[in-house]
Amino acid sequence: VADIAKQVGVQHFVYSSMPDHAAYSPEWPSLPLWAAKHKVEDYIRSTGLPATFLYTGIYNNNFTSLRYPLFCMELQPDGSFEWQAPFHPDAKLPWLDAEHDVGPAILQLFKEGPAKWNGKRIALAYEYLTPLEVCQAFERGLGRPVRYKRGPIEVRVRIPEGYREQLVALEQLFSLQN
């Protein structure tokens, strides 16, 4: 896509990228799905195509009623909910809404253009919340207790091929950060 964009004269290419943690520190694991995006970013940069790279935070929309790993709140017998994840309870994490935050940000990038944003990485987040603060927000919305439990990522449903390796690397990365 980048080659064709360059060939036809696209004036501003926006790509949703992610970091390859291992590229910055050999002690950090490479997250397979993110490392691949990082390689694509490197390739786009090598073409000379005017481009901006979005690094999105955690989508609020990841929380669903599905038993999908990492962002699943488990209903407890007492009617409360529990969210189990490897993040430190006090770590501020970047959150945004896929539906309402990403589009307006990209529109602004296009309005301001490559003169301002070419070659830049934009870390996109609406707010920074700890897992404990996320659970408090859910408590207010649900009117029920929501507890956070720091623990391993549990896989209880079929997941796409390659995703388990991503989850293992995420756990490893966050276990390094106490």
Side-chain angles (χ1 to χ4, degrees):
V1 172
D3 291 339
I4 293 169
K6 172 98 174 162
Q7 188 177 57
V8 299
V10 166
Q11 296 174 16
H12 192 188
F13 191 86
V14 176
Y15 177 72
S16 176
S17 192
M18 289 302 279
D20 180 1
H21 290 82
Y24 301 103
S25 172
E27 297 170 7
W28 294 348
S30 185
L31 282 76
L33 302 178
W34 294 0
K37 291 181 92 107
H38 194 263
K39 283 183 183 173
V40 172
E41 176 184 334
D42 286 343
Y43 179 78
I44 293 168
R45 287 179 183 280
S46 77
T47 68
L49 179 66
T52 304
F53 306 93
L54 283 184
Y55 283 50
T56 59
I58 301 167
Y59 295 123
N60 298 340
N61 318 59
N62 285 345
F63 285 101
T64 70
S65 60
L66 302 175
R67 297 188 66 162
Y68 212 69
L70 190 55
F71 295 104
C72 177
M73 291 206 181
E74 192 78 29
L75 180 61
Q76 303 299 300
D78 66 359
S80 67
F81 288 90
E82 181 179 86
W83 174 34
Q84 180 173 312
F87 312 118
H88 188 283
D90 299 319
K92 291 281 191 181
L93 302 171
W95 295 88
L96 71 156
D97 184 87
E99 185 179 348
H100 298 98
D101 297 332
V102 178
I106 292 172
L107 179 61
Q108 192 62 35
L109 288 175
F110 283 128
K111 283 181 178 179
E112 294 175 346
K116 182 172 182 177
W117 298 110
N118 184 36
K120 300 229 168 90
R121 290 181 176 134
I122 310 297
L124 193 57
Y126 176 74
E127 59 188 341
Y128 286 85
L129 299 172
T130 69
L132 296 176
E133 292 168 330
V134 168
C135 288
Q136 289 170 355
F138 272 105
E139 261 186 33
R140 286 189 304 275
L142 295 171
R144 295 180 182 201
V146 178
R147 290 181 297 283
Y148 180 70
K149 177 182 174 186
R150 186 176 186 193
I153 300 168
E154 295 180 355
V155 179
R156 298 180 186 167
V157 295
R158 278 188 59 204
I159 55 176
E161 187 176 323
Y163 194 58
R164 185 175 302 277
E165 293 80 7
Q166 177 79 2
L167 294 173
V168 167
L170 271 170
E171 256 184 359
Q172 183 185 1
L173 178 67
F174 285 103
S175 70
L176 295 172
Q177 299 176 10
N178 293 327

